Amino acid sequence: MASAKDIKANARPPKMGGRRGIVMGDKPKDFKGSMKRLLKFISPFKWKIILVMVLIVAATVLSVINPKVLAMATDTLADGVKAVAAGTGEIDFDRILQIVFYCILLYGASSIFNYLQGFIIAGVSTKIAYNLRTSIMQKIDRLPVSYFNRVSYGDVLSRITNDVDTINMNLNQTLSQAISAVITLLGVLVMMLTISWRLTLVVLITLPMSAGVMAFVMKKSQKHFFRHQNILGSVNGQVEEMYGGHVAVKAFNGEEDAVASFNEDNEKLYEAAWKSNFISGLMHPFMILIGNLGYVAVVVFGAGMTMKGTMTIGGIQAFIIYTRNFTQPISQVAQIANQFQMLVAAYERVDEFLGEDEIDDPEPKVCTADIDIKGDIKFDHVKFGYEDTDKIVIKDFSCDVKAGQKVAIVGPTGAGKTTLVKLLMRFHDLKDGAIYVDGHDITEFDRGDLRREFGMVLQDTWLYQASIRDNIRYGELTATDEQVVEAAKAAQVDHFIRTLPGGYDMEINEEANNISAGQKQLLTIARAILSNAKVLILDEATSSVDTRTEVMIQEAMDNLMQGRTSFIIAHRLSTIRNADLILCLNDGDIVEQGTHDELMALNGFYANLYNSQFENNG
């Protein structure tokens, strides 16, 4: 997230909406490919969808038959009126009532079938959305850390929420409506042919016109639907990061610039939404116009045929109803086309996420459960640069650390200290060289298995919305309440916890701002203590605590680190004077190494760093 300093640095600030604003181009990448993968995702539900099709066919057939049955009632009534007028008979009301009763039965059965198919298709679309969200969450666990360095959290969240919701909603509507429209179109066409093939040809003339309009509108509007979903992810990213960094924004009076930046993308979102809805919305009135032209032509030609006696009154009445029923699914297809475009645009974003390169790990050769990890660590000519940049951060790093040693890593900002321990835990893979744990290359371990052997406390504390007890227990989920308390005591945090309302049961809120930064740091240290790991990594672990608390923590840490390999990244060099080995990093290389006394005697890089701190403090 952009810092408050960055916000004020420019009149037009960098967008807070993520590290990668609009993450894709405005045009769909692979429409056909995405459709194939979407169909593959739907395939497990094919039998339910086939059942839905059967129910829709049954409902549509019954609905399509009704106008012709109703025409029989009209013809019976017309014949009766003629008979009464000629004095040769009377109206057969029993026959008319019987036909009306059949119509009610047909409409009733059709409604039941429609209800059943609606119930099933709602379950299918919801289950598909459920599976998509599950796939996305599982995908997140398999993505490398580098992915989240270049993509905003808000954009990822938008794919899980907005895009999946769009798929769910439109899939529910398009599946049933599309099948219903096609079956209705075919059924009505058959029924019209049974009444008059000449009038049917009149109606069919409108089909090429309808198809042309649909193809033209879909081509013009699809890119705007895709752009709308894309910009929506960027806007969500801005909202998420502005909310998370609202304190910095307010502290540096960045509200106006932040809102201006948001409004810029919001305007783009409005433009894309307006264009997509307007252009796709043109389809419906054009379809109505074409349908009305066909309707007028049928009325004119049908009236002439009725006057000539080549068609009955009931026949023309049924055909007019069928004409309306014929144009209705065409208009419905136009509406479905809009929903379908939104569906595909949303799925392409989800599909792109699911297609991201995953962590490619071979089958682990070594299991930590099969060996007794002691904590011997060896860095062998390690070379590393982050995936999204060509810059090499660690150039040629070699070091042997014996089990139980306390190793301090010092150096100026950007020297590669934190990067080094991230490589040790395999958050990133090396460009060259190797890292060994007890003689085994770390690439031979399963990542999760390897990380269980490390306890880590970073500069950036991470707590989640739960009780203090559960946050500490995150270091060892099977730990008892007594073990949690013992870890808290070792981290010098037990007394503070007991002064809080609710003590260990007090819930930390979503932003973790109901306790201080120093208190959060203490809790993460307690979590690391509880994990009882063989190797400890402390990245400026006491940076957010006062001097008195730091002394207490340092004492607890000394006890904790007995018999464990420990890596301590420190800026305050007074805290690491008793380290077994001090590594001085600068520009990704070790420039000096040794104990505190040895390095001070050299009067070089380390001595300058150490003395400068006391000069500044003085």
Side-chain angles (χ1 to χ4, degrees):
M1 186 184 76
S3 66
K5 186 176 180 180
D6 294 331
I7 295 173
K8 296 303 290 180
N10 304 294
R12 194 61 162 176
K15 292 176 184 175
M16 295 187 69
R19 292 158 286 278
R20 188 182 70 175
I22 296 174
V23 297
M24 300 186 298
D26 291 342
K27 295 183 179 179
K29 286 190 172 182
D30 184 9
F31 183 90
K32 291 182 179 179
S34 293
M35 277 307 304
K36 288 179 181 178
R37 288 185 286 274
L38 178 58
L39 291 174
K40 188 176 179 181
F41 212 91
I42 295 173
S43 62
F45 306 95
K46 60 183 177 182
W47 294 114
K48 286 188 176 182
I49 293 174
I50 290 172
L51 176 59
V52 166
M53 293 176 66
V54 171
L55 290 170
I56 290 175
V57 169
T60 305
V61 167
L62 294 178
S63 181
V64 166
I65 290 173
N66 248 320
K68 195 161 186 179
V69 175
L70 194 60
M72 294 167 60
T74 302
D75 285 338
T76 302
L77 179 63
D79 292 341
V81 170
K82 290 178 183 178
V84 169
T88 59
E90 57 184 18
I91 299 173
D92 189 353
F93 285 106
D94 291 337
R95 173 65 176 161
I96 293 173
L97 287 174
Q98 187 181 24
I99 294 171
V100 170
F101 178 71
Y102 288 149
C103 284
I104 293 172
L105 283 179
L106 291 172
Y107 278 125
S110 177
S111 298
I112 292 171
F113 290 144
N114 276 322
Y115 169 80
L116 290 174
Q117 67 86 12
F119 178 80
I120 295 171
I121 205 66
V124 168
S125 60
T126 304
K127 186 64 176 178
I128 289 172
Y130 171 86
N131 289 345
L132 278 172
R133 284 198 177 95
T134 301
S135 297
I136 291 173
M137 291 305 296
Q138 292 172 346
K139 182 73 177 185
I140 288 174
D141 290 337
R142 298 193 298 267
L143 287 173
V145 175
S146 58
Y147 177 83
F148 300 99
N149 291 336
R150 63 184 174 87
V151 180
S152 73
Y153 303 139
D155 185 72
V156 176
L157 291 174
S158 181
R159 296 174 198 241
I160 297 174
T161 54
N162 294 334
D163 291 328
V164 174
D165 281 341
T166 300
I167 292 169
N168 180 22
M169 180 178 66
N170 290 297
L171 194 62
N172 185 10
Q173 295 174 0
T174 55
L175 269 178
S176 57
Q177 288 182 3
I179 297 169
S180 178
V182 171
I183 299 302
T184 300
L185 206 61
L186 294 175
V188 168
L189 182 61
V190 170
M191 296 305 292
M192 287 195 301
L193 286 171
T194 63
I195 295 173
S196 171
W197 65 269
R198 292 183 178 85
L199 288 180
T200 302
L201 287 177
V202 172
V203 175
L204 288 177
I205 292 173
T206 62
L207 272 182
M209 299 169 61
S210 300
V213 169
M214 285 179 59
F216 177 78
V217 173
M218 285 184 69
K219 182 179 179 181
K220 293 294 183 182
S221 61
Q222 176 61 32
K223 63 180 181 180
H224 296 296
F225 277 110
F226 188 79
R227 189 165 184 260
H228 172 265
Q229 291 298 124
N230 197 21
I231 299 175
L232 184 60
S234 177
V235 169
N236 283 335
Q238 291 193 43
V239 171
E240 187 268 335
E241 293 205 354
M242 278 198 292
Y243 181 76
H246 68 279
V247 174
V249 174
K250 288 183 176 295
F252 289 89
N253 297 318
E255 296 97 333
E256 186 176 341
D257 290 337
V259 170
S261 178
F262 171 80
N263 286 340
E264 182 182 334
D265 266 6
N266 202 27
E267 280 292 328
K268 293 178 182 177
L269 180 64
Y270 167 78
E271 181 186 356
W274 181 84
K275 285 183 178 179
S276 61
N277 289 321
F278 172 73
I279 295 175
S280 63
L282 291 175
M283 198 180 300
H284 188 63
F286 274 123
M287 290 299 178
I288 292 176
L289 174 63
I290 294 170
N292 285 337
L293 290 176
Y295 179 74
V296 170
V298 166
V299 169
V300 172
F301 284 103
M305 293 174 69
T306 304
M307 291 175 64
K308 292 178 181 178
T310 57
M311 181 175 286
T312 64
I313 295 175
I316 187 61
Q317 176 206 28
F319 202 93
I320 289 173
I321 294 175
Y322 281 130
T323 302
R324 282 297 190 195
N325 289 345
F326 188 77
T327 56
Q328 182 181 355
I330 295 177
S331 300
Q332 197 175 18
V333 167
Q335 182 64 33
I336 292 169
N338 297 342
Q339 296 168 348
F340 183 71
Q341 290 179 96
M342 292 179 66
L343 167 65
V344 174
Y347 182 75
E348 279 208 11
R349 281 173 46 79
V350 173
D351 187 51
E352 187 212 30
F353 181 80
L354 294 176
E356 287 287 343
D357 292 335
E358 300 179 2
I359 299 171
D360 185 19
D361 281 339
E363 193 70 25
K365 299 178 182 178
V366 184
C367 179
T368 56
D370 298 332
I371 58 176
D372 182 20
I373 297 292
K374 294 181 176 61
D376 288 315
I377 308 291
K378 180 181 179 180
F379 295 87
D380 185 17
H381 297 286
V382 170
K383 181 180 178 181
F384 172 74
Y386 286 100
E387 292 84 347
D388 53 352
T389 177
D390 294 329
K391 183 181 178 182
I392 299 299
V393 181
I394 306 293
K395 297 175 183 176
D396 186 8
F397 182 87
S398 295
C399 176
D400 278 322
V401 179
K402 301 303 179 184
Q405 278 192 319
K406 181 162 63 172
V407 181
I409 305 174
V410 301
T413 300
K417 302 183 297 296
T418 301
T419 299
L420 203 59
V421 294
K422 286 183 177 178
L423 295 179
L424 185 58
M425 295 188 71
R426 290 197 70 192
F427 288 148
H428 302 278
D429 287 324
L430 307 179
K431 296 285 187 185
D432 197 9
I435 301 174
Y436 298 93
V437 174
D438 285 6
H440 298 281
D441 192 319
I442 59 172
T443 58
E444 296 178 356
F445 295 92
D446 175 77
R447 288 179 195 259
D449 199 22
L450 176 71
R451 289 168 188 165
R452 274 190 285 271
E453 301 300 325
F454 291 87
M456 195 170 190
V457 180
L458 299 176
Q459 289 175 318
D460 298 325
T461 57
W462 178 79
L463 300 172
Y464 64 101
Q465 188 174 1
S467 68
I468 288 177
R469 189 190 314 279
D470 288 338
N471 270 281
I472 296 175
R473 188 179 275 128
Y474 201 79
E476 177 54 61
L477 297 178
T478 60
T480 64
D481 289 349
E482 290 75 16
Q483 289 172 321
V484 169
V485 172
E486 287 302 316
K489 288 179 178 177
Q492 309 296 322
V493 73
D494 176 69
H495 174 71
F496 143 69
I497 294 174
R498 295 185 186 279
T499 63
L500 296 173
Y504 282 87
D505 294 319
M506 174 186 150
E507 184 167 298
I508 295 174
N509 62 24
E510 185 178 0
E511 296 298 314
N513 57 13
N514 55 342
I515 57 175
S516 72
Q519 291 163 348
K520 287 191 283 188
Q521 194 83 61
L522 289 166
L523 291 179
T524 59
I525 292 170
R527 178 193 293 166
I529 292 172
L530 185 63
S531 69
N532 197 28
K534 297 296 177 65
V535 182
L536 294 174
I537 297 173
L538 309 173
D539 186 354
E540 197 59 36
T542 59
S543 61
S544 300
V545 298
D546 58 75
T547 305
R548 181 173 176 274
T549 306
E550 181 183 2
V551 172
M552 298 168 65
I553 292 176
Q554 208 62 54
E555 196 174 311
M557 287 296 182
D558 288 339
N559 294 328
L560 173 68
M561 289 185 285
Q562 288 295 326
R564 290 184 175 88
T565 306
S566 305
F567 291 88
I568 306 165
I569 298 174
H571 293 292
R572 284 184 282 188
L573 303 186
S574 59
T575 63
I576 47 95
R577 292 183 58 170
N578 63 341
D580 298 312
L581 179 65
I582 299 174
L583 303 176
C584 300
L585 283 183
N586 192 28
D587 293 331
D589 289 322
I590 296 178
V591 292
E592 289 180 355
Q593 60 179 306
T595 64
H596 172 76
D597 293 334
E598 290 170 348
L599 293 175
M600 289 300 291
L602 290 174
N603 198 28
F605 182 83
Y606 176 81
N608 288 334
L609 278 178
Y610 188 84
N611 292 328
S612 66
Q613 288 195 1
F614 285 97
E615 287 173 6
N616 292 334
N617 291 336

